[in-house]
Amino acid sequence: MKSEIPKHSAIWGQIIVGELKKTGLSERDIRKEFGITRSQLEDPDARWSFDKTAWLFEKASALTRDDLVGYRLAQSPDLVRKAGLLAYVGVSAPTVGGYLRNITRFQRVIGDASKTAMEEGPDTQQCGPGC
C-alpha cells in the first residue's frame, strides 16, 4: 500500500516564485526549473507536497544568494493578504505565545504536512506591555 504524501497550501511556493520573478527570472524558466504548472501558480487553493515547498526555499536562497529569503518574505505586508485568513489569525495575535496557539489550533486548514501540539504549564511566562 502506497502511503499518501502530505500536502499543504502552495501559497508559499507561489510567493517565492513571485519574488524570483522580481530578480529577472522569467516565469517560464522558473516553472521549468521547479516543475510547477501554470495552474499551480494561479490557483489560490493549490496544494502540493511540503518537500516541494522546502526545495523551493532552498533554490530561492541559492538563486538570490540570500539565506534569509524566507524570513524576509514572512515580513512582507502583502503576505497576509496573499496567504489569507490563516495568516491573519497568526499575525494578529498580540504575543508570540498567542501566535503559536493560533497556528497550532488552525494548522490543519493549511494542510496535513505537519502536526504540532502546544502544551502550557506553570513555567509558561506571560509578558505584558513594556517587557
Side-chain angles (χ1 to χ4, degrees):
M1 179 177 185
K2 188 176 180 181
S3 65
E4 181 76 19
I5 296 173
K7 298 194 184 272
H8 71 121
S9 171
I11 189 67
W12 274 106
Q14 293 167 343
I15 291 169
I16 291 170
V17 169
E19 288 301 306
L20 290 174
K21 285 169 52 177
K22 290 178 186 177
T23 69
L25 294 169
S26 75
E27 182 179 308
R28 181 175 171 242
D29 290 342
I30 295 168
R31 286 190 294 112
K32 183 178 178 183
E33 173 75 20
F34 294 128
I36 300 170
T37 65
R38 177 172 279 146
S39 64
Q40 287 175 311
L41 290 178
E42 295 173 354
D43 182 357
D45 298 321
R47 298 172 73 77
W48 60 35
S49 74
F50 178 79
D51 290 348
K52 181 175 267 191
T53 300
W55 187 71
L56 283 167
F57 271 104
E58 289 176 20
K59 291 292 275 186
S61 177
L63 287 170
T64 61
R65 293 185 173 92
D66 180 1
D67 290 339
L68 299 175
V69 68
Y71 178 77
R72 293 184 208 301
L73 288 174
Q75 295 180 46
S76 166
D78 289 338
L79 177 65
V80 173
R81 182 181 55 78
K82 291 176 183 174
L85 184 58
L86 188 61
Y88 179 76
V89 165
V91 300
S92 67
T95 65
V96 172
Y99 169 84
L100 292 171
R101 279 189 292 281
N102 289 348
I103 294 301
T104 299
R105 181 175 177 195
F106 294 104
Q107 73 179 351
R108 288 173 287 178
V109 174
I110 295 174
D112 56 4
S114 66
K115 297 193 183 339
T116 60
M118 185 170 171
E119 185 176 311
E120 295 184 69
D123 294 334
T124 304
Q125 294 183 355
Q126 292 191 356
C127 183
C131 291

